[in-house]
Every structure is written in structure tokens, then in C-alpha cells.
Amino acid sequence: MTAFLNSRNAVSAAADPRWHAEAGDPHIVKRLLWTPLLPPNATLVSLMKGVELGTAKRMSEVIAEVAGAPAERIAVVSGPNLAREIAQEQPTATVVACADLERATAVGHASFTRYFRPYTNTDVVGCELGGAVKNVIALACGMAQGMGFGDNTVASLITRGLAETARLGAVLGADPITFAGLAGLGDLVATCSSPLSRNRTFGERLGRGETLEQAQQATLGQVAEGVKSCRSVLELADRHGADVPITRAVEAVCFRGTSPADMVSELMLRAMKRE
Amino acid sequence: MTAFLNSRNAVSAAADPRWHAEAGDPHIVKRLLWTPLLPPNATLVSLMKGVELGTAKRMSEVIAEVAGAPAERIAVVSGPNLAREIAQEQPTATVVACADLERATAVGHASFTRYFRPYTNTDVVGCELGGAVKNVIALACGMAQGMGFGDNTVASLITRGLAETARLGAVLGADPITFAGLAGLGDLVATCSSPLSRNRTFGERLGRGETLEQAQQATLGQVAEGVKSCRSVLELADRHGADVPITRAVEAVCFRGTSPADMVSELMLRAMKRE
């Protein structure tokens, strides 16, 4: 028996849940009162992305805490899964990650269709981290595009963004190979390429010289997820001594008055090193 | 002292070569008569991508053979480096790979500018393979776009395409981490995203239902690089028993009359497995 915990970006088309709890913001999870309704051995499936500000906890950690469930019962679904395209039945692949491979496989079989192809993985930390950092990198890609740069620049940011995600993952115990997979690279590429991505379009505004306030006004008060995530991801990286230059640069543009042009120069002119 | 061996897609803006040999097609290299002119200890820098049809040799292997130079003297430059954008001085990163790290570092320093950031790597096999297979994957992405599919599908193809490149690399002795880097992921993303990419636009024609001959006529007789590469990459994979389902599918569309729609169904409906 499986309960799905969805975010606003949920892949609800992918599942046939017995329970279905919408959570537009990670913080809302804590306020949900559904935990007494969960069967004792239910698999909890998280479709949320992000790191909690203040505690630097991943979403499955928050769920474990709120539901009092062990990590083995919590699965995470992540990948290049823009909801609108799934609703249109466009072919895509995804990852179902769970420390318990049997549960991952069961969730995979439950969601397998001719247009939705799940792969299983036991690296929950890596899959969740990919989903959390991608919004920050998408913001950086948007800034570069807003400054008029092209595909080389964006591809470089995507690649080095994934490298810093993998570095952070390494100190948190993730498998580096996960980041080359669907929940790392796949989700990142879909998010950075899509004109549907709010992070990219928000970044474009910043890249064209708008302030955070101006960009926020233009988007009817909404702030892109990456603006919030850059602070919590940076917090997580600083706690563990991981080097995350792009995340740090995005945070500096959003909250410290650094211009996007200075951000690009600084990223490009660091000392040469091994890949 | 460094001699640059460039292909049509060369990053000539990146370098200050003493010698500069243009080679529009990998096969032309063999016909060049410059080898007596090379100083005995020159570093040979290859900017060519591809695998030789018939011999399944990488470009640095062809150069080693023609120039009679040991692998330690041959460097490879690869990454998200669309030539037109480099000429416009748009920021990008690249990889200089050489078995001899000192030579890689020297080439890197020679080409470092405020918009061109080289990283060094000693995995020549991985860097060359990334550049060879990306054109095949870009062709597959183009087909998906020609069929009307969106960013999820393309991101899934990019990710699983990189996974099959890494599998092929593993049996050839490459470091799997290279494929998550600039010469793997970076080059692949730039090629698959760029409207400048002939492979993508050629694939779009096939995806809309044109035959290879029709697409070739529409592009003034030119065949995209990926059409040639899918055969030599498949040859290399079959020699070493590597599983490359996307490359095999692209080859089947180009040369065996498989329709792009059948290709997509077949790729999506294979048995579920671990990532």
C-alpha cells in the first residue's frame, strides 16, 4: 500500500495512489495531519524537491521525521518529468529511489506505462540532491541567457553545476554515478532547457539587469524555487565544507548585490584545474 | 612546441598554434603530408571527433599511427564548444586531455582566456568517445523533436545516451566520471540544444517522416555526422560486446527502414531495470 506525497510539480499522472497528499511547499508537509491515517507498512513516495531552510534537511528526512517512518519505507521519484508533458503522454524516463530495492521496484511497476519508463535506484540521497540543486543551476543558466549568452555557456554551467552537485553529494554519502543519471543530469537538462521552467525565466530577468524585487513583481509576487533553494543548498554545503561556486554565485546575485556580469567573470577566471 | 590538428568544427579561436593543419574529414588526416615537418617532441593536439569506419579507431589513434607518435604526445580538446559562439567570445569551458598531464596543462595555459576556461584530464579515451557518440544521440534527440516530443523526452534520451556512452567507455578503459564532465555531458547538451547543430536538424527531418535520401537532398547532399558515426560506433560497441540501444536504434532508422515511431516504442518498452 502506497501513499503519495506530491508537490506542486508532482508527477501525479505517474501513479495510482490510495492516498494523495498535495503539498505546494515543502514546509506544508509538517502541517499535514494525515500521519495517523497511514497503514503501518505503507511505502511513502515523495515527489518533492528541495532542502529545508534552517535545518538543511532533505524532503525524505522531513517525511521520516513527521511520519515517524524508517528510511527504508520512503521512496523518492525524480527525473526529467515536466508535469505538463507527462499529462500529454510524451515519452520520458524517471528514477524511483528507495533504500529498499523491493519497494522501489514495486513503485516502478505501479507507474510503468508505454510513455513513462521508471528505473530503480537505491541512492536516495543522490536522487534528492539532484532535484534540490537543479533549480539553482537553472537560475544560473537563465541569467546567462538573459545576458545574451548561448548554448556553450549554458552547457558549461549545466556540466559544472552537476559537478558541484556531485561534490556535495560525495560528502553526504551519495553515489557519484547517480548525478550522471535521470535524477541528476536528466532533471537538470529538462529544467534548464524548458521554456516552461520558472527558474530559467526568472533567471533571465535577473540576467537582463532586473533586481530580485523587480523580477518578483513581474512574476506576480512569485519567487522562483531556485532563489529559496540557493540559500538552503549553500547552508548544507557550508556545513559539510563542499565547494559549490555556482550556487554561491547565484546566492550572491540574489542576496548580496553581485551583478550577473561579475558572477560570470568570477566563475570563468578561477585558477585552471583538473576536471 | 605544439601542432594543432583541426577538423571543420575546430576551436581554432582557442589556440595560438605554430602549425595548423585543417582536416575537414577524419580520413583526410591520413593523406596529409605534414608528418616530416613535426619537431620530434611536439605535442599533437586533436580537435577531431569520431570513430573511423572499418577500423573503429579513435582519432588520436589514427594520429598516432600516421605521425608515428606515442600516445603521451597526443592531446585532445573537447567540450561544449560550438565554434561560432567561441568566435563571439561567449564564456565556455573545455577539456584538454592527454595521458601526460604536464602537456595537457601546457595546452590549457596556452588557450586560457577570459571567455575560454580549460580543465585538464588524463582520460583521452573517455573524452574522445564522448565527442564521437554525441552526434548519434543528437540525431536521436532531433528525431524525437521532429515527432513533436518535448523536453522530458529529449532529456531522457540525453541521459540514457550518456549512460550507453559510459558503458561503451567502461569496456574501452575510460573513466566513467569523464562522461559526466565537459567532454561528455557538456558537449552532448550543447550539441543537442543548439539550433546550429546539423545533427539535430537532420534528425528532425527523419522524425517528421522524411527518408535518409529526402533529408539528404534537403540539406544539399550533406549527411549529418551522426549518420556516419552511428555505424562506426555500433561497430566498436559490437566488437566489445557493449549494449548501446539508442545507437542501435538510430542505425536501424538510418539504414534498416525502422520508423522513428517504432524506435521510440522499442526504447520505452524494454524491461524495467536498475539505472
PDB file of all heavy atoms in Angstrom, chain A residues 110-138:
ATOM      1  N   ALA A 110       4.175  -0.125 -10.540  1.00  0.00           N
ATOM      2  CA  ALA A 110       2.872   0.537 -10.416  1.00  0.00           C
ATOM      3  C   ALA A 110       2.754   1.739 -11.346  1.00  0.00           C
ATOM      4  O   ALA A 110       1.652   2.130 -11.727  1.00  0.00           O
ATOM      5  CB  ALA A 110       2.633   0.961  -8.973  1.00  0.00           C
ATOM      6  N   SER A 111       3.886   2.327 -11.733  1.00  0.00           N
ATOM      7  CA  SER A 111       3.815   3.565 -12.519  1.00  0.00           C
ATOM      8  C   SER A 111       4.273   3.387 -13.968  1.00  0.00           C
ATOM      9  O   SER A 111       4.236   4.325 -14.760  1.00  0.00           O
ATOM     10  CB  SER A 111       4.634   4.666 -11.842  1.00  0.00           C
ATOM     11  OG  SER A 111       5.966   4.242 -11.648  1.00  0.00           O
ATOM     12  N   PHE A 112       4.717   2.192 -14.339  1.00  0.00           N
ATOM     13  CA  PHE A 112       5.217   1.892 -15.692  1.00  0.00           C
ATOM     14  C   PHE A 112       4.071   2.005 -16.706  1.00  0.00           C
ATOM     15  O   PHE A 112       3.031   1.390 -16.562  1.00  0.00           O
ATOM     16  CB  PHE A 112       5.764   0.457 -15.672  1.00  0.00           C
ATOM     17  CG  PHE A 112       6.702   0.109 -16.807  1.00  0.00           C
ATOM     18  CD1 PHE A 112       7.810  -0.688 -16.577  1.00  0.00           C
ATOM     19  CD2 PHE A 112       6.475   0.548 -18.098  1.00  0.00           C
ATOM     20  CE1 PHE A 112       8.684  -1.033 -17.600  1.00  0.00           C
ATOM     21  CE2 PHE A 112       7.341   0.215 -19.132  1.00  0.00           C
ATOM     22  CZ  PHE A 112       8.449  -0.577 -18.871  1.00  0.00           C
ATOM     23  N   THR A 113       4.248   2.827 -17.733  1.00  0.00           N
ATOM     24  CA  THR A 113       3.288   2.873 -18.844  1.00  0.00           C
ATOM     25  C   THR A 113       4.082   2.903 -20.141  1.00  0.00           C
ATOM     26  O   THR A 113       5.317   2.959 -20.110  1.00  0.00           O
ATOM     27  CB  THR A 113       2.408   4.142 -18.811  1.00  0.00           C
ATOM     28  OG1 THR A 113       3.240   5.264 -19.150  1.00  0.00           O
ATOM     29  CG2 THR A 113       1.782   4.373 -17.449  1.00  0.00           C
ATOM     30  N   ARG A 114       3.377   2.952 -21.285  1.00  0.00           N
ATOM     31  CA  ARG A 114       4.114   2.975 -22.549  1.00  0.00           C
ATOM     32  C   ARG A 114       4.839   4.303 -22.770  1.00  0.00           C
ATOM     33  O   ARG A 114       5.692   4.420 -23.653  1.00  0.00           O
ATOM     34  CB  ARG A 114       3.194   2.634 -23.723  1.00  0.00           C
ATOM     35  CG  ARG A 114       2.200   3.697 -24.050  1.00  0.00           C
ATOM     36  CD  ARG A 114       1.132   3.293 -25.042  1.00  0.00           C
ATOM     37  NE  ARG A 114      -0.004   4.170 -24.849  1.00  0.00           N
ATOM     38  CZ  ARG A 114      -0.008   5.462 -25.154  1.00  0.00           C
ATOM     39  NH1 ARG A 114       1.038   6.038 -25.694  1.00  0.00           N
ATOM     40  NH2 ARG A 114      -1.078   6.203 -24.909  1.00  0.00           N
ATOM     41  N   TYR A 115       4.527   5.337 -22.000  1.00  0.00           N
ATOM     42  CA  TYR A 115       5.228   6.614 -22.160  1.00  0.00           C
ATOM     43  C   TYR A 115       6.016   7.021 -20.907  1.00  0.00           C
ATOM     44  O   TYR A 115       6.683   8.043 -20.903  1.00  0.00           O
ATOM     45  CB  TYR A 115       4.253   7.735 -22.555  1.00  0.00           C
ATOM     46  CG  TYR A 115       3.125   7.928 -21.559  1.00  0.00           C
ATOM     47  CD1 TYR A 115       3.261   8.793 -20.476  1.00  0.00           C
ATOM     48  CD2 TYR A 115       1.929   7.229 -21.703  1.00  0.00           C
ATOM     49  CE1 TYR A 115       2.247   8.948 -19.564  1.00  0.00           C
ATOM     50  CE2 TYR A 115       0.909   7.376 -20.799  1.00  0.00           C
ATOM     51  CZ  TYR A 115       1.069   8.236 -19.727  1.00  0.00           C
ATOM     52  OH  TYR A 115       0.059   8.381 -18.810  1.00  0.00           O
ATOM     53  N   PHE A 116       5.941   6.229 -19.829  1.00  0.00           N
ATOM     54  CA  PHE A 116       6.620   6.581 -18.574  1.00  0.00           C
ATOM     55  C   PHE A 116       7.446   5.382 -18.138  1.00  0.00           C
ATOM     56  O   PHE A 116       6.916   4.351 -17.740  1.00  0.00           O
ATOM     57  CB  PHE A 116       5.570   6.931 -17.508  1.00  0.00           C
ATOM     58  CG  PHE A 116       6.147   7.578 -16.273  1.00  0.00           C
ATOM     59  CD1 PHE A 116       6.484   8.930 -16.272  1.00  0.00           C
ATOM     60  CD2 PHE A 116       6.348   6.840 -15.118  1.00  0.00           C
ATOM     61  CE1 PHE A 116       7.012   9.527 -15.141  1.00  0.00           C
ATOM     62  CE2 PHE A 116       6.872   7.438 -13.981  1.00  0.00           C
ATOM     63  CZ  PHE A 116       7.205   8.782 -13.993  1.00  0.00           C
ATOM     64  N   ARG A 117       8.768   5.489 -18.245  1.00  0.00           N
ATOM     65  CA  ARG A 117       9.648   4.347 -18.021  1.00  0.00           C
ATOM     66  C   ARG A 117      10.495   4.553 -16.764  1.00  0.00           C
ATOM     67  O   ARG A 117      11.456   5.320 -16.768  1.00  0.00           O
ATOM     68  CB  ARG A 117      10.554   4.191 -19.239  1.00  0.00           C
ATOM     69  CG  ARG A 117      11.550   3.063 -19.128  1.00  0.00           C
ATOM     70  CD  ARG A 117      12.310   2.857 -20.434  1.00  0.00           C
ATOM     71  NE  ARG A 117      13.467   2.021 -20.206  1.00  0.00           N
ATOM     72  CZ  ARG A 117      13.407   0.704 -20.063  1.00  0.00           C
ATOM     73  NH1 ARG A 117      12.269   0.078 -20.169  1.00  0.00           N
ATOM     74  NH2 ARG A 117      14.508   0.012 -19.811  1.00  0.00           N
ATOM     75  N   PRO A 118      10.151   3.873 -15.656  1.00  0.00           N
ATOM     76  CA  PRO A 118      10.924   4.046 -14.425  1.00  0.00           C
ATOM     77  C   PRO A 118      12.166   3.144 -14.387  1.00  0.00           C
ATOM     78  O   PRO A 118      12.128   2.007 -14.854  1.00  0.00           O
ATOM     79  CB  PRO A 118       9.951   3.607 -13.320  1.00  0.00           C
ATOM     80  CG  PRO A 118       8.667   3.272 -13.995  1.00  0.00           C
ATOM     81  CD  PRO A 118       8.962   3.040 -15.440  1.00  0.00           C
ATOM     82  N   TYR A 119      13.234   3.692 -13.845  1.00  0.00           N
ATOM     83  CA  TYR A 119      14.419   2.909 -13.487  1.00  0.00           C
ATOM     84  C   TYR A 119      14.503   2.937 -11.959  1.00  0.00           C
ATOM     85  O   TYR A 119      14.094   3.914 -11.332  1.00  0.00           O
ATOM     86  CB  TYR A 119      15.691   3.545 -14.063  1.00  0.00           C
ATOM     87  CG  TYR A 119      15.828   3.433 -15.555  1.00  0.00           C
ATOM     88  CD1 TYR A 119      15.125   4.268 -16.399  1.00  0.00           C
ATOM     89  CD2 TYR A 119      16.674   2.486 -16.118  1.00  0.00           C
ATOM     90  CE1 TYR A 119      15.258   4.169 -17.781  1.00  0.00           C
ATOM     91  CE2 TYR A 119      16.818   2.373 -17.492  1.00  0.00           C
ATOM     92  CZ  TYR A 119      16.105   3.221 -18.320  1.00  0.00           C
ATOM     93  OH  TYR A 119      16.242   3.117 -19.679  1.00  0.00           O
ATOM     94  N   THR A 120      15.041   1.869 -11.373  1.00  0.00           N
ATOM     95  CA  THR A 120      15.169   1.859  -9.908  1.00  0.00           C
ATOM     96  C   THR A 120      16.591   2.201  -9.487  1.00  0.00           C
ATOM     97  O   THR A 120      17.542   2.048 -10.255  1.00  0.00           O
ATOM     98  CB  THR A 120      14.788   0.484  -9.340  1.00  0.00           C
ATOM     99  OG1 THR A 120      15.598  -0.515  -9.954  1.00  0.00           O
ATOM    100  CG2 THR A 120      13.329   0.173  -9.596  1.00  0.00           C
ATOM    101  N   ASN A 121      16.712   2.680  -8.256  1.00  0.00           N
ATOM    102  CA  ASN A 121      17.998   3.092  -7.712  1.00  0.00           C
ATOM    103  C   ASN A 121      17.875   3.026  -6.186  1.00  0.00           C
ATOM    104  O   ASN A 121      16.778   3.232  -5.653  1.00  0.00           O
ATOM    105  CB  ASN A 121      18.293   4.536  -8.181  1.00  0.00           C
ATOM    106  CG  ASN A 121      19.759   4.930  -8.026  1.00  0.00           C
ATOM    107  OD1 ASN A 121      20.404   4.552  -7.046  1.00  0.00           O
ATOM    108  ND2 ASN A 121      20.263   5.678  -8.978  1.00  0.00           N
ATOM    109  N   THR A 122      18.962   2.733  -5.493  1.00  0.00           N
ATOM    110  CA  THR A 122      18.889   2.720  -4.022  1.00  0.00           C
ATOM    111  C   THR A 122      19.526   3.977  -3.406  1.00  0.00           C
ATOM    112  O   THR A 122      19.558   4.120  -2.186  1.00  0.00           O
ATOM    113  CB  THR A 122      19.596   1.465  -3.447  1.00  0.00           C
ATOM    114  OG1 THR A 122      20.905   1.386  -4.007  1.00  0.00           O
ATOM    115  CG2 THR A 122      18.830   0.194  -3.786  1.00  0.00           C
ATOM    116  N   ASP A 123      19.998   4.883  -4.251  1.00  0.00           N
ATOM    117  CA  ASP A 123      20.681   6.078  -3.748  1.00  0.00           C
ATOM    118  C   ASP A 123      19.697   7.237  -3.565  1.00  0.00           C
ATOM    119  O   ASP A 123      19.575   8.117  -4.429  1.00  0.00           O
ATOM    120  CB  ASP A 123      21.796   6.473  -4.727  1.00  0.00           C
ATOM    121  CG  ASP A 123      22.561   7.702  -4.264  1.00  0.00           C
ATOM    122  OD1 ASP A 123      22.423   8.095  -3.096  1.00  0.00           O
ATOM    123  OD2 ASP A 123      23.292   8.277  -5.100  1.00  0.00           O
ATOM    124  N   VAL A 124      19.011   7.224  -2.445  1.00  0.00           N
ATOM    125  CA  VAL A 124      18.006   8.266  -2.164  1.00  0.00           C
ATOM    126  C   VAL A 124      18.664   9.639  -2.015  1.00  0.00           C
ATOM    127  O   VAL A 124      18.164  10.641  -2.542  1.00  0.00           O
ATOM    128  CB  VAL A 124      17.207   7.899  -0.885  1.00  0.00           C
ATOM    129  CG1 VAL A 124      16.263   9.028  -0.494  1.00  0.00           C
ATOM    130  CG2 VAL A 124      16.439   6.606  -1.109  1.00  0.00           C
ATOM    131  N   VAL A 125      19.798   9.699  -1.327  1.00  0.00           N
ATOM    132  CA  VAL A 125      20.477  10.980  -1.110  1.00  0.00           C
ATOM    133  C   VAL A 125      20.827  11.641  -2.447  1.00  0.00           C
ATOM    134  O   VAL A 125      20.540  12.823  -2.672  1.00  0.00           O
ATOM    135  CB  VAL A 125      21.766  10.788  -0.273  1.00  0.00           C
ATOM    136  CG1 VAL A 125      22.518  12.107  -0.132  1.00  0.00           C
ATOM    137  CG2 VAL A 125      21.438  10.223   1.100  1.00  0.00           C
ATOM    138  N   GLY A 126      21.415  10.880  -3.345  1.00  0.00           N
ATOM    139  CA  GLY A 126      21.807  11.430  -4.642  1.00  0.00           C
ATOM    140  C   GLY A 126      20.608  11.919  -5.450  1.00  0.00           C
ATOM    141  O   GLY A 126      20.634  13.001  -6.029  1.00  0.00           O
ATOM    142  N   CYS A 127      19.551  11.106  -5.462  1.00  0.00           N
ATOM    143  CA  CYS A 127      18.367  11.489  -6.241  1.00  0.00           C
ATOM    144  C   CYS A 127      17.731  12.763  -5.691  1.00  0.00           C
ATOM    145  O   CYS A 127      17.325  13.642  -6.451  1.00  0.00           O
ATOM    146  CB  CYS A 127      17.354  10.354  -6.260  1.00  0.00           C
ATOM    147  SG  CYS A 127      17.891   8.969  -7.299  1.00  0.00           S
ATOM    148  N   GLU A 128      17.652  12.859  -4.373  1.00  0.00           N
ATOM    149  CA  GLU A 128      17.034  14.058  -3.797  1.00  0.00           C
ATOM    150  C   GLU A 128      17.891  15.304  -4.005  1.00  0.00           C
ATOM    151  O   GLU A 128      17.375  16.390  -4.252  1.00  0.00           O
ATOM    152  CB  GLU A 128      16.797  13.847  -2.300  1.00  0.00           C
ATOM    153  CG  GLU A 128      15.625  12.944  -2.033  1.00  0.00           C
ATOM    154  CD  GLU A 128      15.179  13.038  -0.584  1.00  0.00           C
ATOM    155  OE1 GLU A 128      15.946  12.592   0.294  1.00  0.00           O
ATOM    156  OE2 GLU A 128      14.085  13.555  -0.330  1.00  0.00           O
ATOM    157  N   LEU A 129      19.193  15.130  -3.891  1.00  0.00           N
ATOM    158  CA  LEU A 129      20.083  16.272  -4.027  1.00  0.00           C
ATOM    159  C   LEU A 129      20.042  16.824  -5.454  1.00  0.00           C
ATOM    160  O   LEU A 129      20.034  18.041  -5.664  1.00  0.00           O
ATOM    161  CB  LEU A 129      21.507  15.834  -3.661  1.00  0.00           C
ATOM    162  CG  LEU A 129      22.381  16.900  -3.057  1.00  0.00           C
ATOM    163  CD1 LEU A 129      21.734  17.494  -1.817  1.00  0.00           C
ATOM    164  CD2 LEU A 129      23.739  16.303  -2.718  1.00  0.00           C
ATOM    165  N   GLY A 130      20.001  15.923  -6.425  1.00  0.00           N
ATOM    166  CA  GLY A 130      19.888  16.365  -7.822  1.00  0.00           C
ATOM    167  C   GLY A 130      18.683  17.267  -8.019  1.00  0.00           C
ATOM    168  O   GLY A 130      18.773  18.327  -8.638  1.00  0.00           O
ATOM    169  N   GLY A 131      17.553  16.861  -7.443  1.00  0.00           N
ATOM    170  CA  GLY A 131      16.329  17.645  -7.589  1.00  0.00           C
ATOM    171  C   GLY A 131      16.378  18.977  -6.859  1.00  0.00           C
ATOM    172  O   GLY A 131      15.733  19.945  -7.263  1.00  0.00           O
ATOM    173  N   ALA A 132      17.157  19.034  -5.778  1.00  0.00           N
ATOM    174  CA  ALA A 132      17.233  20.268  -4.991  1.00  0.00           C
ATOM    175  C   ALA A 132      18.139  21.304  -5.651  1.00  0.00           C
ATOM    176  O   ALA A 132      17.809  22.494  -5.711  1.00  0.00           O
ATOM    177  CB  ALA A 132      17.735  19.958  -3.580  1.00  0.00           C
ATOM    178  N   VAL A 133      19.275  20.861  -6.168  1.00  0.00           N
ATOM    179  CA  VAL A 133      20.256  21.815  -6.691  1.00  0.00           C
ATOM    180  C   VAL A 133      19.911  22.270  -8.106  1.00  0.00           C
ATOM    181  O   VAL A 133      20.273  23.363  -8.531  1.00  0.00           O
ATOM    182  CB  VAL A 133      21.697  21.229  -6.633  1.00  0.00           C
ATOM    183  CG1 VAL A 133      22.720  22.259  -7.063  1.00  0.00           C
ATOM    184  CG2 VAL A 133      22.022  20.732  -5.225  1.00  0.00           C
ATOM    185  N   LYS A 134      19.175  21.444  -8.848  1.00  0.00           N
ATOM    186  CA  LYS A 134      18.900  21.786 -10.255  1.00  0.00           C
ATOM    187  C   LYS A 134      18.220  23.148 -10.418  1.00  0.00           C
ATOM    188  O   LYS A 134      18.464  23.856 -11.388  1.00  0.00           O
ATOM    189  CB  LYS A 134      18.047  20.710 -10.915  1.00  0.00           C
ATOM    190  CG  LYS A 134      16.705  20.548 -10.247  1.00  0.00           C
ATOM    191  CD  LYS A 134      15.570  20.307 -11.207  1.00  0.00           C
ATOM    192  CE  LYS A 134      14.266  20.479 -10.451  1.00  0.00           C
ATOM    193  NZ  LYS A 134      13.103  19.986 -11.152  1.00  0.00           N
ATOM    194  N   ASN A 135      17.362  23.511  -9.476  1.00  0.00           N
ATOM    195  CA  ASN A 135      16.683  24.801  -9.603  1.00  0.00           C
ATOM    196  C   ASN A 135      17.656  25.973  -9.492  1.00  0.00           C
ATOM    197  O   ASN A 135      17.470  27.015 -10.123  1.00  0.00           O
ATOM    198  CB  ASN A 135      15.590  24.937  -8.538  1.00  0.00           C
ATOM    199  CG  ASN A 135      14.408  24.026  -8.829  1.00  0.00           C
ATOM    200  OD1 ASN A 135      14.078  23.778  -9.984  1.00  0.00           O
ATOM    201  ND2 ASN A 135      13.788  23.514  -7.780  1.00  0.00           N
ATOM    202  N   VAL A 136      18.696  25.796  -8.687  1.00  0.00           N
ATOM    203  CA  VAL A 136      19.725  26.829  -8.544  1.00  0.00           C
ATOM    204  C   VAL A 136      20.523  26.954  -9.843  1.00  0.00           C
ATOM    205  O   VAL A 136      20.784  28.058 -10.333  1.00  0.00           O
ATOM    206  CB  VAL A 136      20.673  26.490  -7.372  1.00  0.00           C
ATOM    207  CG1 VAL A 136      21.723  27.585  -7.210  1.00  0.00           C
ATOM    208  CG2 VAL A 136      19.886  26.283  -6.080  1.00  0.00           C
ATOM    209  N   ILE A 137      20.870  25.808 -10.417  1.00  0.00           N
ATOM    210  CA  ILE A 137      21.645  25.824 -11.665  1.00  0.00           C
ATOM    211  C   ILE A 137      20.798  26.384 -12.806  1.00  0.00           C
ATOM    212  O   ILE A 137      21.295  27.129 -13.659  1.00  0.00           O
ATOM    213  CB  ILE A 137      22.154  24.398 -12.009  1.00  0.00           C
ATOM    214  CG1 ILE A 137      22.882  23.774 -10.808  1.00  0.00           C
ATOM    215  CG2 ILE A 137      23.055  24.421 -13.242  1.00  0.00           C
ATOM    216  CD1 ILE A 137      24.058  24.558 -10.285  1.00  0.00           C
ATOM    217  N   ALA A 138      19.503  26.039 -12.807  1.00  0.00           N
ATOM    218  CA  ALA A 138      18.606  26.583 -13.842  1.00  0.00           C
ATOM    219  C   ALA A 138      18.534  28.106 -13.748  1.00  0.00           C
ATOM    220  O   ALA A 138      18.462  28.805 -14.759  1.00  0.00           O
ATOM    221  CB  ALA A 138      17.209  25.979 -13.717  1.00  0.00           C
TER     222      ALA A 138
END
